[in-house]
Amino acid sequence: MRANSEQLLAKLGRWSSGRGPLYLLLAVRLRALIDDGELPPDTVLPPDRVLARWLAVGRGTVVAAYDLLQQEGKVVRRQGSGTRVCGADPPALRNLAGDGVVNPLLLHLLAPPDGVILLTCAAPDSPPPVLIEAYQEAAARLARVRHDIGYHPAGHPVLRESLASYYRARGVPTTAGEILVTNGAQQALALLAKLLVSPGDTVLTEAPTYPGALEAFRDAAALFRTAGDAEEFCAALADRPVLGYAVPTGQNPTGGVMPALTRRRLARLAVDHGVPIVEDEVPAELCFSGEPPPPLASYGTSGQLITVGSLSKLVWGGLRVGWIRAAPPLISRLTRLRAIYDLGGDVLAQLASAWLLSRVGELRRDRVEVLRRRHDHLRAELLRELPTWTAEPALGGQTIWVRLPHGDADAFAQVALRHGVAVAPGRSFDPSGGHGDRLRLPFLFSEETLTESVARLASAWRDYDGARRPHTLRALLV
């Protein structure tokens, strides 16, 4: 089906009336039409020059918009066949033969394949027994509730105060008014992106970084500036991006932990340059050295330092409770925005989360003990089965960052899928498209499952590498 000129122009409407570069505004509007089904799968879009003439813009504007949509997996562009809306399968579920980057956060969540070990989403694969106890305690508390309609856009007061106490115990003076409870950290990131980022704004991120955050910023039509390490990140603040996003503890995907002196410098520079920093602390409680380092907000009282957290990694992803800690004026604005989309979260889940927070030390100790053991097991299996792969140890979090000795991680991921194991290739973690020789591997599963996963990866590597001979090199496992 080919897009009709009059109908397409009518659907585009006043696409250029927003703020930001024209190509971004055009891409945002076309993305919305695709997501809403107004441009159905397999629709052939007008050629670059034709659409540019219809819209009275330069051809480069259309080319850049189409290229951005291709990177997001919304369209496919091929020489000779033009630009076409991706097929009926969700783009995140399909490899686009090099035409787009697959998002590992979404990969296989919508349609899990049978018989495949999913190493694509780093989250606990079953609820712990303590969660059942938390809900029992919450249900007993709920039974005593009176005169409460249950709508709390900023979060239930009990949980807001519990979170304020949690941060005070970590050396960050906090009141309940500085807390917004959300339905998971992903909603927290989406709200921050919606409020603070306009089309064409530059967001500074680490490379690699958490792909769910990248999706939230892409949805806001942000441009990205990436930093390969903490020094680059700090230096880039001088250019005053609209926002910085970092995961200093248990970094996703590398498992790194930012040193205290670097944290202090980052917090100071954020204040000096007036750049808000969103610190993602979702994996922070999984620090292998014990208690997590203080958040960036502990190094100052400035409203530039924003903290996002949740219990999804420490407890279970099905517990959809997250939060934002920020200055009260920002919390008020975020609460008004949140109320537009969602009048409040699950009260029972929030009461259960408050109970869990009172036992966070015990939860951390038990969880980290398991994760450290599985981390060591995974690295030992990689050394034994895939000695040419490089995998530095994590200092926290749930994943290790693996380098292939040669080849392309996206192509290898497709071979691995045929061998019954799904892995997340490195380009999905880098908005600039780098790290094509990397994989993220979680160490969340049982030792038996990890052993089987590595065996399947080794089989896939032999198939991909085409060299069916013993490897002679040893991996750099330091």
Side-chain angles (χ1 to χ4, degrees):
M1 180 176 66
R2 189 173 296 276
N4 176 276
S5 60
E6 293 183 3
Q7 291 178 350
L8 179 58
L9 290 175
K11 291 175 180 178
L12 285 172
R14 299 177 61 192
W15 63 272
S16 62
S17 61
R19 172 187 169 195
L22 287 178
Y23 83 91
L24 269 178
L25 298 176
L26 179 58
V28 167
R29 183 58 186 151
L30 287 170
R31 182 202 298 138
L33 294 175
I34 293 170
D35 290 345
D36 293 343
E38 295 290 325
L39 291 175
D42 297 321
T43 298
V44 178
L45 297 178
D48 310 338
R49 296 183 187 279
V50 173
L51 184 56
R53 186 171 66 251
W54 291 353
L55 299 178
V57 298
R59 176 172 174 261
T61 297
V62 178
V63 170
Y66 280 171
D67 286 347
L68 181 59
L69 292 171
Q70 178 178 255
Q71 293 171 20
E72 297 175 355
K74 301 295 183 182
V75 303
V76 177
R77 286 165 62 74
R78 290 194 175 92
Q79 189 71 29
S81 58
T83 302
R84 182 184 302 268
V85 176
C86 285
D89 291 336
L93 302 182
R94 296 183 291 112
N95 178 266
L96 301 177
D99 294 324
V101 175
V102 179
N103 183 342
L105 180 70
L106 302 178
L107 185 66
H108 305 127
L109 287 182
L110 299 178
D114 294 331
V116 174
I117 300 175
L118 298 179
L119 302 183
T120 46
C121 189
D125 62 350
S126 59
V130 70
L131 184 57
I132 309 302
E133 185 179 357
Y135 269 95
Q136 290 171 343
E137 293 288 338
R141 185 163 193 162
L142 189 66
R144 300 191 296 270
V145 170
R146 299 291 185 273
H147 310 297
D148 182 352
I149 62 174
Y151 293 122
H152 301 281
H156 195 280
V158 169
L159 179 55
R160 295 182 79 193
E161 181 52 45
S162 294
L163 285 164
S165 177
Y166 166 76
Y167 280 109
R168 288 195 296 268
R170 296 181 61 198
V172 188
T174 305
T175 65
E178 294 172 289
I179 299 293
L180 169 66
V181 178
T182 61
N183 289 329
Q186 189 64 30
Q187 185 185 61
L189 293 171
L191 288 171
L192 287 165
K194 182 74 173 178
L195 185 64
L196 301 179
V197 181
S198 297
D201 283 344
T202 298
V203 173
L204 172 64
T205 74
E206 300 162 297
T209 192
Y210 169 55
L214 298 179
E215 290 301 313
F217 298 134
R218 284 192 181 107
D219 193 57
L223 300 175
F224 290 99
R225 173 158 180 187
T226 60
D229 56 34
E231 287 300 315
E232 286 186 22
F233 194 98
C234 288
L237 292 175
D239 294 330
R240 289 184 167 81
V242 73
L243 188 72
Y245 170 80
V247 191
T249 307
Q251 205 268 352
N252 186 353
T254 66
V257 175
M258 186 181 291
L261 288 178
T262 307
R263 292 169 188 266
R264 185 182 299 276
R265 180 178 174 222
L266 175 56
R268 177 178 56 79
L269 289 172
V271 175
D272 290 347
H273 296 301
V275 179
I277 299 293
V278 176
E279 178 184 11
D280 189 336
E281 274 212 313
V282 171
E285 286 290 350
L286 306 178
C287 187
F288 289 176
S289 62
E291 292 189 10
L296 294 176
S298 67
Y299 295 105
T301 59
S302 170
Q304 305 296 341
L305 303 173
I306 303 165
T307 309
V308 169
S310 87
L311 293 173
S312 63
K313 307 306 183 187
L314 183 64
V315 181
W316 187 49
L319 182 63
R320 302 309 302 149
V321 174
W323 58 84
I324 300 170
R325 185 209 173 276
L330 179 57
I331 292 296
S332 295
R333 294 171 63 199
L334 288 164
T335 300
R336 291 194 295 272
L337 178 62
R338 192 265 177 95
I340 295 173
Y341 303 102
D342 187 355
L343 295 177
D346 184 330
V347 170
L348 188 62
Q350 292 182 67
L351 294 176
S353 297
W355 185 88
L356 289 165
L357 278 170
S358 69
R359 290 153 177 80
V360 70
E362 177 185 346
L363 291 171
R364 179 200 313 123
R365 183 179 61 252
D366 293 345
R367 186 69 182 149
V368 167
E369 180 181 347
V370 172
L371 287 175
R372 188 186 289 113
R373 184 175 66 247
R374 293 176 176 179
H375 165 273
D376 294 346
H377 181 82
L378 173 59
R379 294 186 67 242
E381 288 297 300
L382 288 172
L383 177 59
R384 184 170 63 88
E385 295 284 348
L386 290 158
T388 61
W389 288 19
T390 303
E392 295 187 359
L395 300 177
Q398 304 175 112
T399 61
I400 57 175
W401 192 229
V402 176
R403 174 181 288 163
L404 304 179
H406 54 264
D408 180 80
D410 295 274
F412 172 71
Q414 296 306 305
V415 178
L417 192 59
R418 295 197 294 271
H419 285 257
V421 57
V423 292
R427 288 193 182 91
S428 301
F429 300 83
D430 187 339
S432 64
H435 294 90
D437 61 344
R438 298 283 188 142
L439 298 172
R440 185 189 73 173
L441 298 182
F443 43 85
L444 296 159
F445 299 99
S446 68
E447 283 86 341
E448 294 78 11
T449 301
L450 291 174
T451 296
E452 177 61 24
S453 299
V454 174
R456 296 185 187 189
L457 288 172
S459 176
W461 182 250
R462 289 192 295 271
D463 189 3
Y464 174 78
D465 194 26
R468 299 185 179 277
R469 50 183 169 74
H471 292 292
T472 57
L473 300 177
R474 301 292 287 173
L476 177 62
L477 290 168
V478 295

